[in-house]
Amino acid sequence: MPLPENIAHETRVAHGSGDAVDPYRDLVPPIHLASTYERARDGSYPGGRLYSRDQNPSYDPVEALLCRLESGSDALLFASGMAAASAVLQALRPGDRIVAPRFAYWAWRNWLREFATRWQLDVALYDNGDADDLAGKLAEAPTRLLWIETPANPTWEVTDIALAVARAHAAGALVVVDSTVATPVLSQPLLLGADIVLHSATKYLNGHSDVVAGALVCRENNSLWECIRRQRSAGGAVIGPFEAWLLLRGMRTLFLRVRTASANALGIAHFLVDHAAVAEVLYPGLPSHPGHDVAVRQMAGGFGGMLSVRLVAGEQAARVVAGRLRVFKQATSLGSVESLVEHRASVEGSGTLCPADLLRFSVGIEALDDLIADLRQALAAIAG
Ligand SMILES: *Cc1c(COP(=O)(O)O)cnc(C)c1O
């Protein structure tokens, strides 16, 4: 029986694709491995597929589910979050202006800087969390695209999506929101008027540190989206069928994972705020965070699993703490079931805007007491 239409997102996600698959009524969709499809005698394609570069049926249930979760009209899977992001930028024309955040996922910022020069894009950077600066950058010159990442790496500053969209649209710009950290569980940028939402599906959507994938979802099918679609098809940055299948499997527990990680992160934030070794806790769930008020409006059911701290004793102490943690694994990436810690500045390398005394935590779904005990013992190593 097909699922009813009027069910909560978490119900549909728990069911994965939603409907059993003919002819065997599999409750889990099969993986389609074929790279090519047979034509009929008259030359037509009775299966509706021609070639698997970007027409693999294994994508269909995942894209359909993402479309529903984000209330979009179309979704595209990519080989990685960066492949999804670069498909958007490659859909721009030389001379196009993009207004982008000063703080954002580092690899994307670096790539933008390099690619923008060669593609002759005009890039203006705004201060995250400063709505007036964003508006000022939009007013400076005709802009094709506004890029938002919220909460943004690695200080989790929050951008008011609805306000930014209103200003961007009034200025004739389209809006892309990298919602990797917020996930569709906590916020839905397309419902706030954004044109495209981006996910590194490597992170929360898959959630198990075993798939690299990306996704875009659009509010409506416009000419930019058609260009992005052609870029995926011709550029070929496509995900493998097994990875698409694993992603759908991971997504079935998305709501459980994100809610537990958010609750754990809030508990950890409260613990760290009172710790003598900690100078500052950066987490949108804390009233002291500059983005808290917007986050309360924009994120429902939690503030996410990402938080950072700055240590009183500085960079060397931060590195010592990262090395002393045992439940938090010292590794890059985020959004998985296991907790991770990272000395972010040393990962980003030269030119980083990340403070050297900052540790970035991706909080997982372990017992909160174990996570706090781990932090307590690691911070004790730098006491005195
Ligand atoms: C990881 C990440 C990306 C890039 O995604 P990949 O899947 O690693 O290519 C983009 N944006 C954010 C916010 C990320 O965390």
Side-chain angles (χ1 to χ4, degrees):
M1 293 292 286
L3 285 168
E5 270 303 308
N6 57 339
I7 51 173
H9 285 328
E10 58 200 290
T11 306
R12 191 171 297 281
V13 167
H15 283 254
S17 68
D19 297 324
V21 191
D22 283 330
Y24 301 116
R25 308 303 295 157
D26 317 35
L27 282 186
V28 172
I31 306 174
H32 298 270
L33 295 170
S35 59
T36 190
Y37 306 88
E38 190 184 39
R39 293 173 79 162
R41 189 162 287 163
D42 67 359
S44 65
Y45 293 92
R49 312 279 161 149
L50 188 158
Y51 184 57
S52 261
R53 188 189 304 114
D54 78 335
Q55 297 181 357
N56 192 301
S58 305
Y59 300 171
D60 299 357
V62 199
E63 292 178 342
L65 189 58
L66 276 169
C67 232
R68 280 189 186 265
L69 282 179
E70 292 287 5
S71 302
S73 59
D74 199 10
L76 291 169
L77 288 180
F78 285 84
S80 67
M82 283 301 294
S86 42
V88 175
L89 297 180
Q90 285 170 339
L92 300 180
R93 286 184 294 265
D96 277 349
R97 185 165 195 268
I98 169 169
V99 171
R102 194 172 303 281
F103 279 96
Y105 179 71
W106 185 243
W108 180 77
R109 271 280 319 276
N110 275 352
W111 190 85
L112 176 67
R113 197 175 307 163
E114 194 193 326
F115 175 82
T117 312
R118 277 191 280 120
W119 208 259
Q120 291 171 339
L121 298 178
D122 177 12
V123 180
L125 299 180
Y126 64 90
D127 284 328
N128 305 62
D130 183 344
D132 293 337
D133 188 48
L134 190 159
K137 292 295 184 313
L138 282 172
E140 265 170 21
T143 300
R144 183 89 194 285
L145 200 69
L146 168 65
W147 195 279
I148 293 173
E149 180 178 318
T150 181
N153 267 284
T155 47
W156 318 114
E157 273 172 281
V158 177
T159 299
D160 185 332
I161 297 173
L163 179 64
V165 163
R167 287 171 168 172
H169 283 174
L174 295 170
V175 181
V176 176
V177 177
D178 183 337
S179 196
T180 298
V181 170
T183 81
V185 176
L186 306 178
S187 67
Q188 284 140 5
L190 302 185
L191 293 180
L192 299 172
D195 298 283
I196 293 174
V197 56
L198 178 146
H199 288 285
S200 167
T202 312
K203 316 294 171 49
Y204 289 100
L205 292 181
N206 180 64
H208 294 77
S209 303
D210 53 12
V211 169
V212 173
L216 297 174
V217 188
C218 70
R219 187 166 51 82
E220 55 189 42
N221 219 320
N222 54 22
S223 62
L224 184 74
W225 185 257
E226 277 316 309
C227 208
I228 292 168
R229 175 179 279 292
R230 285 201 303 281
Q231 176 57 33
R232 184 182 75 161
S233 171
V238 294
I239 184 173
F242 182 55
E243 284 72 18
W245 183 90
L246 269 177
L247 176 55
L248 186 64
R249 176 195 165 110
M251 283 174 67
R252 294 174 77 144
T253 53
L254 177 69
F255 280 72
L256 271 180
R257 289 186 284 102
V258 170
R259 285 184 183 146
T260 303
S262 296
N264 277 349
L266 188 62
I268 288 170
H270 284 138
F271 164 72
L272 290 171
V273 143
D274 292 330
H275 200 287
V278 172
E280 192 181 6
V281 179
L282 300 161
Y283 185 61
L286 292 177
S288 57
H289 191 275
H292 181 69
D293 292 345
V294 177
V296 167
R297 270 186 275 128
Q298 191 165 282
M299 303 175 82
F303 300 94
M306 297 304 299
L307 87 164
S308 299
V309 293
R310 301 184 63 178
L311 296 184
V312 173
E315 170 172 6
Q316 196 45 37
R319 288 174 183 263
V320 168
V321 170
R324 286 285 296 235
L325 286 162
R326 293 164 65 185
V327 181
F328 285 85
K329 299 300 179 204
Q330 191 174 191
T332 196
S333 198
L334 59 99
S336 188
V337 286
E338 74 280 349
S339 292
L340 303 177
V341 60
E342 183 172 49
H343 180 253
R344 189 69 195 163
S346 59
V347 172
E348 294 189 354
S350 71
T352 180
L353 300 173
C354 181
D357 57 8
L358 181 144
L359 288 178
R360 187 185 89 168
F361 297 101
S362 169
V363 180
I365 63 166
E366 302 94 331
L368 177 58
D369 286 349
D370 288 337
L371 295 172
I372 288 178
D374 197 33
L375 289 163
R376 188 178 283 125
Q377 65 80 21
L379 287 166
I382 57 161

